Amino acid sequence: MKIRFQADADLNRHIINAVLRLEPAMDFQSAQNANLLGLTDPQVLKYAADRQRILVSHDQRTMPKHFAEFINHHRSYGVVIVPKRLSVLDVSENIVLIYEVLTAEDWINRIAFLPL
């Protein structure tokens, strides 16, 4: 199955735009379109998992802990943590690489920190 992405509410919107410019066919939903604003990390993880999407977030502080707890009881299609210090170009190229090389099944219950 092809990878689909879900942006967390904290993700820089420019990253989504850059990714879609590099790979227009990619399914990368914004937090606004998914109505995720104001939800807790566990709620966002459940939303992404229920829709078989990899969650992309800047949240290095709490998301890894919540993800570890989440996968004890649920199946996840993964999380990509994006440090804010990385450039939009570096992040977008890494996300496109993930999209082109891997499948959704490769990401089940997996967390990765960019850059790869």
Side-chain angles (χ1 to χ4, degrees):
M1 177 171 50
K2 203 65 179 159
I3 292 176
R4 299 179 323 139
F5 294 93
Q6 175 60 60
D8 197 357
D10 68 348
L11 190 71
N12 181 342
R13 178 83 179 158
H14 296 297
I15 291 170
I16 300 168
N17 294 336
V19 166
L20 294 175
R21 266 189 244 116
L22 291 172
E23 183 52 65
M26 187 182 298
D27 184 343
F28 197 155
Q29 182 170 253
S30 71
Q32 293 79 9
N33 287 349
N35 295 314
L36 299 182
L37 302 177
L39 297 183
T40 65
D41 288 352
Q43 290 170 322
V44 172
L45 287 163
K46 180 160 180 19
Y47 178 92
D50 287 349
R51 288 151 184 85
Q52 301 178 344
R53 291 179 176 275
I54 295 174
L55 181 65
V56 184
S57 177
H58 282 304
D59 184 358
Q60 298 181 66
R61 190 175 62 80
T62 63
M63 189 57 76
K65 177 181 179 260
H66 286 129
F67 178 73
E69 293 168 358
F70 184 83
I71 62 173
N72 283 329
H73 305 286
H74 306 280
R75 180 179 178 153
S76 170
Y77 279 80
V79 173
V80 174
I81 302 293
V82 178
K84 288 185 179 181
R85 64 175 167 71
L86 291 179
S87 73
V88 170
L89 178 60
D90 287 341
V91 173
S92 58
E93 287 177 341
N94 273 255
I95 291 173
V96 170
L97 179 65
I98 290 168
Y99 175 77
E100 290 178 346
V101 174
L102 300 170
T103 67
E105 291 78 14
D106 294 327
W107 279 87
I108 293 174
N109 293 341
R110 180 177 176 185
I111 189 169
F113 294 79
L114 294 187
L116 297 176

